Amino acid sequence: MDLTIAILTLALLALVVRFVGAPLRSRREPEPDDGEREALEAAREAKYREIRDLELDFRTGKLSPEDYRATDGQLRSEAIEILDRLERLDASEVRPRGA
């Protein structure tokens, strides 16, 4: 009788440990990288600042119209790439898991 109680107690304990520990053992999908978002947002703000500085330099006569157009086009192209990456990151966060 004592052996049966011991076996049942161990079986019950094993079930409790398995049930309570299940969430700890489950595999989780990786969360979107907050560090990547922060880096992209910082890059976006830096690029906007570069564009504003360029416009100020052009208005004060430090740049020729040709230099301004070439540099402005390049900076705006880089800004669009950053915005596209942020948009893709947002889209991946909204997408339902497993889809």
Side-chain angles (χ1 to χ4, degrees):
M1 182 77 158
D2 289 334
L3 182 60
T4 306
I5 292 175
I7 292 173
L8 288 175
T9 303
L10 286 174
L12 182 61
L13 181 62
L15 285 173
V16 168
V17 167
R18 183 173 176 91
F19 178 74
V20 170
L24 300 174
R25 290 187 306 271
S26 69
R27 293 187 179 195
R28 297 183 189 136
E29 289 185 25
E31 295 295 320
D33 187 9
D34 289 333
E36 182 180 3
R37 169 172 299 292
E38 290 175 11
L40 286 171
E41 288 174 351
R44 177 189 62 197
E45 294 306 315
K47 198 57 63 179
Y48 288 166
R49 192 170 31 258
E50 286 182 63
I51 292 170
R52 285 191 302 269
D53 290 346
L54 179 73
E55 289 173 354
L56 179 63
D57 288 346
F58 177 65
R59 279 191 236 127
T60 58
K62 293 180 183 178
L63 289 172
S64 69
E66 296 81 22
D67 288 341
Y68 169 75
R69 279 193 296 273
T71 307
D72 183 63
Q74 178 65 33
L75 290 176
R76 290 180 188 272
S77 173
E78 292 169 4
I80 289 171
E81 288 176 26
I82 293 168
L83 292 173
D84 287 344
R85 289 174 57 194
L86 274 168
E87 190 174 303
R88 283 194 301 271
L89 188 63
D90 287 341
S92 70
E93 290 175 359
V94 173
R95 188 176 309 138
R97 291 182 183 209

